[in-house]
Amino acid sequence: MCLETRGPFEAAANVGFLMVVSIYLLTRIEGKMENLTVSINKLSSALEKVS
């Protein structure tokens, strides 16, 4: 269905839901990305010590 054929409240509810899900997923991924960055930095330091 097109957004024009829906009521304005239903369209806002659908868009709001998608925004909430997107924000939730981005915040979850952010923590994992920080952990990955720390691990990559540790690996880089370990490789420098070996070389």
PDB file of all heavy atoms in Angstrom, residues 1-37:
ATOM      1  N   MET A   1       0.823  -1.177   0.000  1.00  0.00           N
ATOM      2  CA  MET A   1       0.000   0.000   0.000  1.00  0.00           C
ATOM      3  C   MET A   1       0.873   1.248   0.000  1.00  0.00           C
ATOM      4  O   MET A   1       1.917   1.286   0.592  1.00  0.00           O
ATOM      5  CB  MET A   1      -0.870  -0.006   1.249  1.00  0.00           C
ATOM      6  CG  MET A   1      -2.328   0.128   0.946  1.00  0.00           C
ATOM      7  SD  MET A   1      -3.273   0.196   2.462  1.00  0.00           S
ATOM      8  CE  MET A   1      -4.372  -1.120   2.109  1.00  0.00           C
ATOM      9  N   CYS A   2       0.400   2.253  -0.629  1.00  0.00           N
ATOM     10  CA  CYS A   2       1.129   3.500  -0.722  1.00  0.00           C
ATOM     11  C   CYS A   2       0.880   4.352   0.530  1.00  0.00           C
ATOM     12  O   CYS A   2      -0.162   4.247   1.165  1.00  0.00           O
ATOM     13  CB  CYS A   2       0.658   4.234  -1.973  1.00  0.00           C
ATOM     14  SG  CYS A   2       1.744   5.561  -2.449  1.00  0.00           S
ATOM     15  N   LEU A   3       1.832   5.192   0.881  1.00  0.00           N
ATOM     16  CA  LEU A   3       1.677   6.025   2.069  1.00  0.00           C
ATOM     17  C   LEU A   3       0.492   6.981   1.952  1.00  0.00           C
ATOM     18  O   LEU A   3      -0.116   7.336   2.942  1.00  0.00           O
ATOM     19  CB  LEU A   3       2.949   6.833   2.333  1.00  0.00           C
ATOM     20  CG  LEU A   3       4.090   6.098   3.010  1.00  0.00           C
ATOM     21  CD1 LEU A   3       5.285   7.029   3.158  1.00  0.00           C
ATOM     22  CD2 LEU A   3       3.693   5.547   4.349  1.00  0.00           C
ATOM     23  N   GLU A   4       0.164   7.410   0.729  1.00  0.00           N
ATOM     24  CA  GLU A   4      -0.936   8.352   0.555  1.00  0.00           C
ATOM     25  C   GLU A   4      -2.292   7.717   0.864  1.00  0.00           C
ATOM     26  O   GLU A   4      -3.221   8.400   1.259  1.00  0.00           O
ATOM     27  CB  GLU A   4      -0.958   8.912  -0.879  1.00  0.00           C
ATOM     28  CG  GLU A   4       0.221   9.796  -1.223  1.00  0.00           C
ATOM     29  CD  GLU A   4       1.443   9.015  -1.665  1.00  0.00           C
ATOM     30  OE1 GLU A   4       1.295   7.862  -2.125  1.00  0.00           O
ATOM     31  OE2 GLU A   4       2.550   9.553  -1.542  1.00  0.00           O
ATOM     32  N   THR A   5      -2.423   6.416   0.687  1.00  0.00           N
ATOM     33  CA  THR A   5      -3.704   5.763   0.907  1.00  0.00           C
ATOM     34  C   THR A   5      -3.928   5.402   2.366  1.00  0.00           C
ATOM     35  O   THR A   5      -5.041   5.112   2.761  1.00  0.00           O
ATOM     36  CB  THR A   5      -3.815   4.485   0.051  1.00  0.00           C
ATOM     37  OG1 THR A   5      -2.761   3.602   0.411  1.00  0.00           O
ATOM     38  CG2 THR A   5      -3.746   4.818  -1.419  1.00  0.00           C
ATOM     39  N   ARG A   6      -2.894   5.439   3.180  1.00  0.00           N
ATOM     40  CA  ARG A   6      -3.024   5.150   4.601  1.00  0.00           C
ATOM     41  C   ARG A   6      -3.360   6.426   5.348  1.00  0.00           C
ATOM     42  O   ARG A   6      -3.120   7.534   4.882  1.00  0.00           O
ATOM     43  CB  ARG A   6      -1.718   4.598   5.165  1.00  0.00           C
ATOM     44  CG  ARG A   6      -1.308   3.308   4.549  1.00  0.00           C
ATOM     45  CD  ARG A   6      -0.033   2.852   5.188  1.00  0.00           C
ATOM     46  NE  ARG A   6       0.450   1.662   4.503  1.00  0.00           N
ATOM     47  CZ  ARG A   6       1.651   1.162   4.688  1.00  0.00           C
ATOM     48  NH1 ARG A   6       2.487   1.733   5.510  1.00  0.00           N
ATOM     49  NH2 ARG A   6       2.022   0.082   4.055  1.00  0.00           N
ATOM     50  N   GLY A   7      -3.847   6.243   6.552  1.00  0.00           N
ATOM     51  CA  GLY A   7      -4.083   7.399   7.395  1.00  0.00           C
ATOM     52  C   GLY A   7      -2.769   7.970   7.884  1.00  0.00           C
ATOM     53  O   GLY A   7      -1.763   7.259   7.966  1.00  0.00           O
ATOM     54  N   PRO A   8      -2.726   9.234   8.210  1.00  0.00           N
ATOM     55  CA  PRO A   8      -1.464   9.846   8.650  1.00  0.00           C
ATOM     56  C   PRO A   8      -0.935   9.233   9.946  1.00  0.00           C
ATOM     57  O   PRO A   8       0.269   9.123  10.138  1.00  0.00           O
ATOM     58  CB  PRO A   8      -1.804  11.315   8.836  1.00  0.00           C
ATOM     59  CG  PRO A   8      -3.290  11.383   8.900  1.00  0.00           C
ATOM     60  CD  PRO A   8      -3.808  10.197   8.160  1.00  0.00           C
ATOM     61  N   PHE A   9      -1.826   8.794  10.839  1.00  0.00           N
ATOM     62  CA  PHE A   9      -1.372   8.197  12.089  1.00  0.00           C
ATOM     63  C   PHE A   9      -0.747   6.828  11.859  1.00  0.00           C
ATOM     64  O   PHE A   9       0.248   6.473  12.489  1.00  0.00           O
ATOM     65  CB  PHE A   9      -2.535   8.082  13.093  1.00  0.00           C
ATOM     66  CG  PHE A   9      -3.031   9.417  13.554  1.00  0.00           C
ATOM     67  CD1 PHE A   9      -4.282   9.865  13.180  1.00  0.00           C
ATOM     68  CD2 PHE A   9      -2.236  10.229  14.353  1.00  0.00           C
ATOM     69  CE1 PHE A   9      -4.738  11.095  13.599  1.00  0.00           C
ATOM     70  CE2 PHE A   9      -2.680  11.467  14.778  1.00  0.00           C
ATOM     71  CZ  PHE A   9      -3.937  11.903  14.395  1.00  0.00           C
ATOM     72  N   GLU A  10      -1.316   6.070  10.952  1.00  0.00           N
ATOM     73  CA  GLU A  10      -0.758   4.749  10.656  1.00  0.00           C
ATOM     74  C   GLU A  10       0.612   4.885  10.000  1.00  0.00           C
ATOM     75  O   GLU A  10       1.546   4.152  10.337  1.00  0.00           O
ATOM     76  CB  GLU A  10      -1.701   3.970   9.732  1.00  0.00           C
ATOM     77  CG  GLU A  10      -1.236   2.552   9.468  1.00  0.00           C
ATOM     78  CD  GLU A  10      -2.187   1.790   8.556  1.00  0.00           C
ATOM     79  OE1 GLU A  10      -3.302   2.263   8.314  1.00  0.00           O
ATOM     80  OE2 GLU A  10      -1.772   0.713   8.105  1.00  0.00           O
ATOM     81  N   ALA A  11       0.752   5.842   9.101  1.00  0.00           N
ATOM     82  CA  ALA A  11       2.044   6.056   8.449  1.00  0.00           C
ATOM     83  C   ALA A  11       3.085   6.499   9.468  1.00  0.00           C
ATOM     84  O   ALA A  11       4.221   6.012   9.466  1.00  0.00           O
ATOM     85  CB  ALA A  11       1.911   7.092   7.337  1.00  0.00           C
ATOM     86  N   ALA A  12       2.709   7.403  10.379  1.00  0.00           N
ATOM     87  CA  ALA A  12       3.645   7.870  11.403  1.00  0.00           C
ATOM     88  C   ALA A  12       4.023   6.724  12.341  1.00  0.00           C
ATOM     89  O   ALA A  12       5.177   6.616  12.771  1.00  0.00           O
ATOM     90  CB  ALA A  12       3.036   9.019  12.190  1.00  0.00           C
ATOM     91  N   ALA A  13       3.069   5.868  12.680  1.00  0.00           N
ATOM     92  CA  ALA A  13       3.348   4.741  13.556  1.00  0.00           C
ATOM     93  C   ALA A  13       4.323   3.770  12.889  1.00  0.00           C
ATOM     94  O   ALA A  13       5.247   3.265  13.532  1.00  0.00           O
ATOM     95  CB  ALA A  13       2.056   4.015  13.929  1.00  0.00           C
ATOM     96  N   ASN A  14       4.137   3.526  11.608  1.00  0.00           N
ATOM     97  CA  ASN A  14       5.031   2.615  10.897  1.00  0.00           C
ATOM     98  C   ASN A  14       6.438   3.185  10.797  1.00  0.00           C
ATOM     99  O   ASN A  14       7.421   2.480  11.004  1.00  0.00           O
ATOM    100  CB  ASN A  14       4.488   2.306   9.503  1.00  0.00           C
ATOM    101  CG  ASN A  14       3.286   1.391   9.555  1.00  0.00           C
ATOM    102  OD1 ASN A  14       3.093   0.667  10.521  1.00  0.00           O
ATOM    103  ND2 ASN A  14       2.463   1.444   8.535  1.00  0.00           N
ATOM    104  N   VAL A  15       6.551   4.452  10.476  1.00  0.00           N
ATOM    105  CA  VAL A  15       7.864   5.088  10.367  1.00  0.00           C
ATOM    106  C   VAL A  15       8.508   5.152  11.739  1.00  0.00           C
ATOM    107  O   VAL A  15       9.709   4.893  11.892  1.00  0.00           O
ATOM    108  CB  VAL A  15       7.742   6.492   9.735  1.00  0.00           C
ATOM    109  CG1 VAL A  15       9.059   7.237   9.816  1.00  0.00           C
ATOM    110  CG2 VAL A  15       7.294   6.370   8.288  1.00  0.00           C
ATOM    111  N   GLY A  16       7.751   5.469  12.775  1.00  0.00           N
ATOM    112  CA  GLY A  16       8.279   5.527  14.128  1.00  0.00           C
ATOM    113  C   GLY A  16       8.808   4.181  14.577  1.00  0.00           C
ATOM    114  O   GLY A  16       9.861   4.092  15.211  1.00  0.00           O
ATOM    115  N   PHE A  17       8.083   3.131  14.266  1.00  0.00           N
ATOM    116  CA  PHE A  17       8.520   1.782  14.618  1.00  0.00           C
ATOM    117  C   PHE A  17       9.850   1.460  13.953  1.00  0.00           C
ATOM    118  O   PHE A  17      10.768   0.939  14.591  1.00  0.00           O
ATOM    119  CB  PHE A  17       7.462   0.758  14.207  1.00  0.00           C
ATOM    120  CG  PHE A  17       7.904  -0.664  14.405  1.00  0.00           C
ATOM    121  CD1 PHE A  17       7.966  -1.217  15.668  1.00  0.00           C
ATOM    122  CD2 PHE A  17       8.280  -1.438  13.315  1.00  0.00           C
ATOM    123  CE1 PHE A  17       8.382  -2.521  15.853  1.00  0.00           C
ATOM    124  CE2 PHE A  17       8.693  -2.739  13.486  1.00  0.00           C
ATOM    125  CZ  PHE A  17       8.744  -3.283  14.754  1.00  0.00           C
ATOM    126  N   LEU A  18       9.973   1.794  12.690  1.00  0.00           N
ATOM    127  CA  LEU A  18      11.217   1.529  11.972  1.00  0.00           C
ATOM    128  C   LEU A  18      12.372   2.331  12.563  1.00  0.00           C
ATOM    129  O   LEU A  18      13.496   1.831  12.660  1.00  0.00           O
ATOM    130  CB  LEU A  18      11.056   1.859  10.490  1.00  0.00           C
ATOM    131  CG  LEU A  18      10.094   0.960   9.724  1.00  0.00           C
ATOM    132  CD1 LEU A  18       9.923   1.465   8.291  1.00  0.00           C
ATOM    133  CD2 LEU A  18      10.576  -0.469   9.723  1.00  0.00           C
ATOM    134  N   MET A  19      12.105   3.555  12.984  1.00  0.00           N
ATOM    135  CA  MET A  19      13.160   4.368  13.604  1.00  0.00           C
ATOM    136  C   MET A  19      13.603   3.758  14.924  1.00  0.00           C
ATOM    137  O   MET A  19      14.794   3.712  15.224  1.00  0.00           O
ATOM    138  CB  MET A  19      12.668   5.804  13.809  1.00  0.00           C
ATOM    139  CG  MET A  19      12.541   6.583  12.525  1.00  0.00           C
ATOM    140  SD  MET A  19      11.899   8.237  12.762  1.00  0.00           S
ATOM    141  CE  MET A  19      13.144   8.953  13.790  1.00  0.00           C
ATOM    142  N   VAL A  20      12.661   3.289  15.724  1.00  0.00           N
ATOM    143  CA  VAL A  20      12.994   2.683  17.010  1.00  0.00           C
ATOM    144  C   VAL A  20      13.834   1.423  16.801  1.00  0.00           C
ATOM    145  O   VAL A  20      14.843   1.218  17.481  1.00  0.00           O
ATOM    146  CB  VAL A  20      11.717   2.372  17.824  1.00  0.00           C
ATOM    147  CG1 VAL A  20      12.023   1.500  19.025  1.00  0.00           C
ATOM    148  CG2 VAL A  20      11.043   3.660  18.256  1.00  0.00           C
ATOM    149  N   VAL A  21      13.449   0.597  15.867  1.00  0.00           N
ATOM    150  CA  VAL A  21      14.211  -0.626  15.587  1.00  0.00           C
ATOM    151  C   VAL A  21      15.606  -0.274  15.081  1.00  0.00           C
ATOM    152  O   VAL A  21      16.594  -0.885  15.505  1.00  0.00           O
ATOM    153  CB  VAL A  21      13.455  -1.517  14.573  1.00  0.00           C
ATOM    154  CG1 VAL A  21      14.329  -2.657  14.080  1.00  0.00           C
ATOM    155  CG2 VAL A  21      12.181  -2.050  15.200  1.00  0.00           C
ATOM    156  N   SER A  22      15.709   0.715  14.213  1.00  0.00           N
ATOM    157  CA  SER A  22      17.014   1.114  13.685  1.00  0.00           C
ATOM    158  C   SER A  22      17.926   1.634  14.786  1.00  0.00           C
ATOM    159  O   SER A  22      19.109   1.277  14.848  1.00  0.00           O
ATOM    160  CB  SER A  22      16.845   2.195  12.617  1.00  0.00           C
ATOM    161  OG  SER A  22      16.113   1.689  11.534  1.00  0.00           O
ATOM    162  N   ILE A  23      17.394   2.474  15.659  1.00  0.00           N
ATOM    163  CA  ILE A  23      18.201   3.017  16.754  1.00  0.00           C
ATOM    164  C   ILE A  23      18.647   1.902  17.686  1.00  0.00           C
ATOM    165  O   ILE A  23      19.806   1.861  18.121  1.00  0.00           O
ATOM    166  CB  ILE A  23      17.412   4.110  17.505  1.00  0.00           C
ATOM    167  CG1 ILE A  23      17.269   5.331  16.606  1.00  0.00           C
ATOM    168  CG2 ILE A  23      18.086   4.474  18.817  1.00  0.00           C
ATOM    169  CD1 ILE A  23      16.309   6.374  17.122  1.00  0.00           C
ATOM    170  N   TYR A  24      17.754   0.976  17.983  1.00  0.00           N
ATOM    171  CA  TYR A  24      18.102  -0.156  18.855  1.00  0.00           C
ATOM    172  C   TYR A  24      19.242  -0.977  18.247  1.00  0.00           C
ATOM    173  O   TYR A  24      20.217  -1.305  18.925  1.00  0.00           O
ATOM    174  CB  TYR A  24      16.871  -1.030  19.085  1.00  0.00           C
ATOM    175  CG  TYR A  24      17.181  -2.324  19.785  1.00  0.00           C
ATOM    176  CD1 TYR A  24      17.446  -2.344  21.149  1.00  0.00           C
ATOM    177  CD2 TYR A  24      17.212  -3.526  19.081  1.00  0.00           C
ATOM    178  CE1 TYR A  24      17.741  -3.535  21.798  1.00  0.00           C
ATOM    179  CE2 TYR A  24      17.505  -4.713  19.717  1.00  0.00           C
ATOM    180  CZ  TYR A  24      17.765  -4.710  21.070  1.00  0.00           C
ATOM    181  OH  TYR A  24      18.058  -5.886  21.699  1.00  0.00           O
ATOM    182  N   LEU A  25      19.126  -1.289  16.974  1.00  0.00           N
ATOM    183  CA  LEU A  25      20.161  -2.103  16.328  1.00  0.00           C
ATOM    184  C   LEU A  25      21.485  -1.360  16.243  1.00  0.00           C
ATOM    185  O   LEU A  25      22.552  -1.957  16.445  1.00  0.00           O
ATOM    186  CB  LEU A  25      19.696  -2.536  14.938  1.00  0.00           C
ATOM    187  CG  LEU A  25      18.538  -3.538  14.928  1.00  0.00           C
ATOM    188  CD1 LEU A  25      18.073  -3.790  13.499  1.00  0.00           C
ATOM    189  CD2 LEU A  25      18.935  -4.833  15.600  1.00  0.00           C
ATOM    190  N   LEU A  26      21.436  -0.059  15.966  1.00  0.00           N
ATOM    191  CA  LEU A  26      22.671   0.711  15.886  1.00  0.00           C
ATOM    192  C   LEU A  26      23.381   0.798  17.230  1.00  0.00           C
ATOM    193  O   LEU A  26      24.607   0.726  17.293  1.00  0.00           O
ATOM    194  CB  LEU A  26      22.387   2.117  15.347  1.00  0.00           C
ATOM    195  CG  LEU A  26      22.096   2.191  13.851  1.00  0.00           C
ATOM    196  CD1 LEU A  26      21.645   3.597  13.478  1.00  0.00           C
ATOM    197  CD2 LEU A  26      23.300   1.782  13.033  1.00  0.00           C
ATOM    198  N   THR A  27      22.629   0.922  18.309  1.00  0.00           N
ATOM    199  CA  THR A  27      23.271   0.985  19.622  1.00  0.00           C
ATOM    200  C   THR A  27      23.859  -0.367  20.002  1.00  0.00           C
ATOM    201  O   THR A  27      24.908  -0.428  20.636  1.00  0.00           O
ATOM    202  CB  THR A  27      22.298   1.460  20.715  1.00  0.00           C
ATOM    203  OG1 THR A  27      21.141   0.626  20.724  1.00  0.00           O
ATOM    204  CG2 THR A  27      21.889   2.897  20.487  1.00  0.00           C
ATOM    205  N   ARG A  28      23.223  -1.437  19.603  1.00  0.00           N
ATOM    206  CA  ARG A  28      23.782  -2.766  19.885  1.00  0.00           C
ATOM    207  C   ARG A  28      25.056  -2.987  19.083  1.00  0.00           C
ATOM    208  O   ARG A  28      26.033  -3.536  19.578  1.00  0.00           O
ATOM    209  CB  ARG A  28      22.774  -3.859  19.545  1.00  0.00           C
ATOM    210  CG  ARG A  28      21.610  -3.854  20.488  1.00  0.00           C
ATOM    211  CD  ARG A  28      21.057  -5.168  20.758  1.00  0.00           C
ATOM    212  NE  ARG A  28      21.959  -6.265  20.480  1.00  0.00           N
ATOM    213  CZ  ARG A  28      21.939  -7.392  21.134  1.00  0.00           C
ATOM    214  NH1 ARG A  28      21.083  -7.563  22.098  1.00  0.00           N
ATOM    215  NH2 ARG A  28      22.744  -8.376  20.826  1.00  0.00           N
ATOM    216  N   ILE A  29      25.052  -2.571  17.838  1.00  0.00           N
ATOM    217  CA  ILE A  29      26.214  -2.759  16.974  1.00  0.00           C
ATOM    218  C   ILE A  29      27.370  -1.875  17.442  1.00  0.00           C
ATOM    219  O   ILE A  29      28.536  -2.268  17.330  1.00  0.00           O
ATOM    220  CB  ILE A  29      25.846  -2.469  15.502  1.00  0.00           C
ATOM    221  CG1 ILE A  29      24.927  -3.577  14.981  1.00  0.00           C
ATOM    222  CG2 ILE A  29      27.084  -2.348  14.635  1.00  0.00           C
ATOM    223  CD1 ILE A  29      24.369  -3.310  13.605  1.00  0.00           C
ATOM    224  N   GLU A  30      27.056  -0.696  17.990  1.00  0.00           N
ATOM    225  CA  GLU A  30      28.104   0.233  18.420  1.00  0.00           C
ATOM    226  C   GLU A  30      29.014  -0.405  19.472  1.00  0.00           C
ATOM    227  O   GLU A  30      30.238  -0.304  19.379  1.00  0.00           O
ATOM    228  CB  GLU A  30      27.474   1.506  18.984  1.00  0.00           C
ATOM    229  CG  GLU A  30      28.487   2.538  19.428  1.00  0.00           C
ATOM    230  CD  GLU A  30      27.836   3.764  20.026  1.00  0.00           C
ATOM    231  OE1 GLU A  30      26.617   3.757  20.244  1.00  0.00           O
ATOM    232  OE2 GLU A  30      28.567   4.721  20.282  1.00  0.00           O
ATOM    233  N   GLY A  31      28.438  -1.073  20.456  1.00  0.00           N
ATOM    234  CA  GLY A  31      29.240  -1.734  21.483  1.00  0.00           C
ATOM    235  C   GLY A  31      30.111  -2.824  20.911  1.00  0.00           C
ATOM    236  O   GLY A  31      31.284  -2.982  21.302  1.00  0.00           O
ATOM    237  N   LYS A  32      29.578  -3.562  19.976  1.00  0.00           N
ATOM    238  CA  LYS A  32      30.354  -4.640  19.362  1.00  0.00           C
ATOM    239  C   LYS A  32      31.483  -4.075  18.498  1.00  0.00           C
ATOM    240  O   LYS A  32      32.569  -4.651  18.436  1.00  0.00           O
ATOM    241  CB  LYS A  32      29.444  -5.539  18.539  1.00  0.00           C
ATOM    242  CG  LYS A  32      28.462  -6.287  19.423  1.00  0.00           C
ATOM    243  CD  LYS A  32      27.533  -7.168  18.641  1.00  0.00           C
ATOM    244  CE  LYS A  32      26.525  -7.726  19.621  1.00  0.00           C
ATOM    245  NZ  LYS A  32      26.058  -9.018  19.326  1.00  0.00           N
ATOM    246  N   MET A  33      31.221  -2.942  17.857  1.00  0.00           N
ATOM    247  CA  MET A  33      32.260  -2.304  17.048  1.00  0.00           C
ATOM    248  C   MET A  33      33.399  -1.792  17.935  1.00  0.00           C
ATOM    249  O   MET A  33      34.564  -1.877  17.554  1.00  0.00           O
ATOM    250  CB  MET A  33      31.673  -1.152  16.226  1.00  0.00           C
ATOM    251  CG  MET A  33      30.749  -1.601  15.116  1.00  0.00           C
ATOM    252  SD  MET A  33      31.594  -2.562  13.858  1.00  0.00           S
ATOM    253  CE  MET A  33      32.588  -1.306  13.112  1.00  0.00           C
ATOM    254  N   GLU A  34      33.064  -1.270  19.114  1.00  0.00           N
ATOM    255  CA  GLU A  34      34.103  -0.815  20.033  1.00  0.00           C
ATOM    256  C   GLU A  34      34.973  -1.989  20.481  1.00  0.00           C
ATOM    257  O   GLU A  34      36.198  -1.877  20.527  1.00  0.00           O
ATOM    258  CB  GLU A  34      33.474  -0.128  21.242  1.00  0.00           C
ATOM    259  CG  GLU A  34      32.911   1.240  20.924  1.00  0.00           C
ATOM    260  CD  GLU A  34      32.276   1.907  22.128  1.00  0.00           C
ATOM    261  OE1 GLU A  34      32.591   1.510  23.269  1.00  0.00           O
ATOM    262  OE2 GLU A  34      31.476   2.818  21.919  1.00  0.00           O
ATOM    263  N   ASN A  35      34.336  -3.110  20.800  1.00  0.00           N
ATOM    264  CA  ASN A  35      35.095  -4.308  21.190  1.00  0.00           C
ATOM    265  C   ASN A  35      35.984  -4.784  20.051  1.00  0.00           C
ATOM    266  O   ASN A  35      37.125  -5.211  20.274  1.00  0.00           O
ATOM    267  CB  ASN A  35      34.154  -5.431  21.614  1.00  0.00           C
ATOM    268  CG  ASN A  35      33.453  -5.133  22.915  1.00  0.00           C
ATOM    269  OD1 ASN A  35      33.911  -4.310  23.702  1.00  0.00           O
ATOM    270  ND2 ASN A  35      32.334  -5.804  23.150  1.00  0.00           N
ATOM    271  N   LEU A  36      35.490  -4.734  18.842  1.00  0.00           N
ATOM    272  CA  LEU A  36      36.267  -5.146  17.677  1.00  0.00           C
ATOM    273  C   LEU A  36      37.461  -4.224  17.474  1.00  0.00           C
ATOM    274  O   LEU A  36      38.571  -4.690  17.178  1.00  0.00           O
ATOM    275  CB  LEU A  36      35.378  -5.155  16.431  1.00  0.00           C
ATOM    276  CG  LEU A  36      36.015  -5.606  15.129  1.00  0.00           C
ATOM    277  CD1 LEU A  36      36.524  -7.037  15.250  1.00  0.00           C
ATOM    278  CD2 LEU A  36      35.019  -5.490  13.988  1.00  0.00           C
ATOM    279  N   THR A  37      37.267  -2.926  17.671  1.00  0.00           N
ATOM    280  CA  THR A  37      38.359  -1.969  17.535  1.00  0.00           C
ATOM    281  C   THR A  37      39.450  -2.238  18.556  1.00  0.00           C
ATOM    282  O   THR A  37      40.652  -2.219  18.232  1.00  0.00           O
ATOM    283  CB  THR A  37      37.828  -0.531  17.689  1.00  0.00           C
ATOM    284  OG1 THR A  37      36.831  -0.296  16.693  1.00  0.00           O
ATOM    285  CG2 THR A  37      38.938   0.495  17.542  1.00  0.00           C
TER     286      THR A  37
END
